Amino acid sequence: MLGLETYRLVTDMNRLLALLFHQGVLDEQFLQLQQLQDESSPNFVSEVVNIYFNESEKLLRNLRALLMDREQWEYKKVGVHLNQMIGSSSSIGANRIRNVCVALRGASEQNNRLGCLRALDVLEHEYCYLKNKLHEFFHIEQQRVLAAGIRYPNPVQQQQHHQNHP
Amino acid sequence: MAKKVKSSNKSKLSALVVDDDGVCRTVHCAFLRRHGFETSSVESGRQAVDLIRSGQKFDIIFMDIIMPEMNGVQATRALRAMGVKSMIVGIDCDLDYINEDFMQAGMDRVYEKPMTSEIAISVHQALLNNNIV
């Protein structure tokens, strides 16, 4: 039976996820990633998401530098960066970010510089929102793991205790 | 085009993931390992060609399509020209937008990202089926 603290934390996690799904920020792919998490890779989702954050920050910096360049429009490089961000976002279920990248790609193809800069602003905003929410999610998950560890003794220790005190 | 899989001694099928993005490499390998593959990964079409030219063999190659320098279509053509018979599966976003003749280049299948359990199971089954005499 879950302790009250753990129950509250699990409820908080589920509520946060439900909100992100409802807003379209995350999609079903995030659940597929959670299903890959098991005893052999207990932190899989947070590890992948951290890789996503590190890679995305580089991509966003590069995109801003490319799009702010008044002299040369490196259209092909913008396309490659956007393709990478669309791929990584869809791989973790970052649905809204993926959609904004597609819109930015459309503006880039039309040589719509102003449209691109506006879409980039939206993209950076969406990225910050997702990052904050997922940090919150993993923070609650960490607290849940700690709470469960404190409440339930180590199964190995429990077995040894029973052996010593039949 | 996909070679018959030797079933006698191998317990697991081997997959090579080719993708310039670290998130995709990690996610693709995780799904594939969950569904019975041993996985390796490289960051570019060029690295894939060099790795296989050095003698490494794989039952299946998952090939990202849009990559800088050598893209997935170019890498696939190069591998087929080298005589590689492994199953090659293209996987990228918005395949209609990319607008390439993937099959003509030598790919056996193409999928839209994201990688899912369904894709991993489907290709695993296809490789096993190729081995049925």
Side-chain angles (χ1 to χ4, degrees):
Chain A
M1 207 161 91
L2 288 177
L4 201 56
E5 176 69 8
T6 310
Y7 178 80
R8 183 185 69 78
L9 291 166
V10 168
T11 306
D12 287 347
M13 282 172 68
N14 289 339
R15 193 178 289 142
L16 178 52
L17 262 192
L19 173 69
L20 294 173
F21 276 99
H22 178 72
Q23 291 174 329
V25 171
L26 290 179
D27 65 24
E28 204 258 350
Q29 180 70 5
F30 191 81
L31 299 177
Q32 288 247 356
L33 291 192
Q34 286 186 310
Q35 285 168 19
L36 291 177
Q37 191 158 286
D38 59 18
E39 279 159 10
S40 66
S41 52
N43 302 312
F44 173 71
V45 181
S46 64
E47 285 168 2
V48 170
V49 168
N50 279 329
I51 297 171
Y52 175 75
F53 288 152
N54 288 332
E55 301 268 320
S56 295
E57 267 155 44
K58 279 185 260 181
L59 286 172
L60 287 170
R61 273 200 301 273
N62 290 343
L63 277 169
R64 186 153 282 279
L66 286 166
L67 292 171
M68 296 286 278
D69 190 335
R70 293 195 158 278
E71 290 184 21
Q72 217 179 352
W73 184 283
E74 291 200 75
Y75 164 77
K76 222 179 165 206
K77 270 191 186 170
V78 169
V80 170
H81 285 331
L82 283 175
N83 173 269
Q84 193 177 336
M85 197 147 184
I86 291 168
S88 60
S89 300
S90 72
S91 294
I92 69 154
N95 178 59
R96 256 184 12 198
I97 288 179
R98 184 201 178 281
N99 291 341
V100 176
C101 286
V102 171
L104 176 46
R105 185 177 64 191
S108 164
E109 282 160 8
Q110 289 163 9
N111 265 324
N112 179 356
R113 198 184 199 98
L114 189 58
C116 281
L117 291 171
R118 282 187 182 143
L120 184 60
D121 284 341
V122 173
L123 183 57
E124 287 167 347
H125 171 82
E126 288 289 341
Y127 172 76
C128 284
Y129 183 74
L130 178 70
K131 189 172 178 181
N132 287 338
K133 288 300 173 193
L134 286 181
H135 272 157
E136 193 183 326
F137 178 80
F138 293 127
H139 178 67
I140 303 171
E141 190 182 47
Q142 229 175 10
Q143 288 181 302
R144 180 190 63 81
V145 169
L146 284 171
I150 289 164
R151 179 162 179 78
Y152 298 107
N154 185 310
V156 173
Q157 288 171 350
Q158 213 171 21
Q159 202 175 26
Q160 284 171 348
H161 179 82
H162 288 316
Q163 281 168 357
N164 294 335
H165 301 91
Chain B
M1 259 186 200
K3 74 166 199 261
K4 281 183 195 267
V5 172
K6 294 189 289 249
S7 69
S8 46
N9 294 322
K10 269 200 224 181
S11 55
K12 284 190 176 183
L13 298 171
S14 59
L16 175 66
V17 169
V18 186
D19 203 304
D20 58 334
D21 180 67
V23 175
C24 291
R25 287 195 301 275
T26 306
V27 170
H28 292 187
C29 287
F31 276 106
L32 292 169
R33 278 197 302 270
R34 173 58 67 88
H35 294 290
F37 289 91
E38 272 173 3
T39 61
S40 306
S41 63
V42 290
E43 296 179 19
S44 69
R46 169 55 57 200
Q47 284 183 14
V49 169
D50 290 345
L51 183 64
I52 290 168
R53 186 173 280 135
S54 76
Q56 290 255 20
K57 288 181 167 39
F58 299 95
D59 296 307
I60 185 167
I61 300 167
F62 278 87
M63 186 73 78
D64 186 23
I65 301 183
I66 296 183
M67 291 185 282
E69 293 167 27
M70 184 186 264
N71 68 34
V73 167
Q74 292 165 332
T76 300
R77 283 207 183 99
L79 291 171
R80 292 301 187 208
M82 281 161 54
V84 170
K85 298 282 189 283
S86 312
M87 183 183 278
I88 300 180
V89 173
I91 179 163
D92 207 331
C93 304
D94 299 331
L95 297 173
D96 292 339
Y97 172 82
I98 294 173
N99 196 28
E100 289 261 14
D101 193 339
F102 306 113
M103 302 308 168
Q104 190 272 332
M107 291 182 181
D108 295 289
R109 294 183 176 195
V110 282
Y111 289 104
E112 291 249 347
K113 283 180 181 173
M115 172 68 80
T116 60
S117 285
E118 287 76 15
I119 292 173
I121 291 167
S122 175
V123 296
H124 194 272
Q125 194 57 52
L127 284 169
L128 294 181
N129 288 345
N130 283 347
N131 193 43
I132 293 171
V133 179

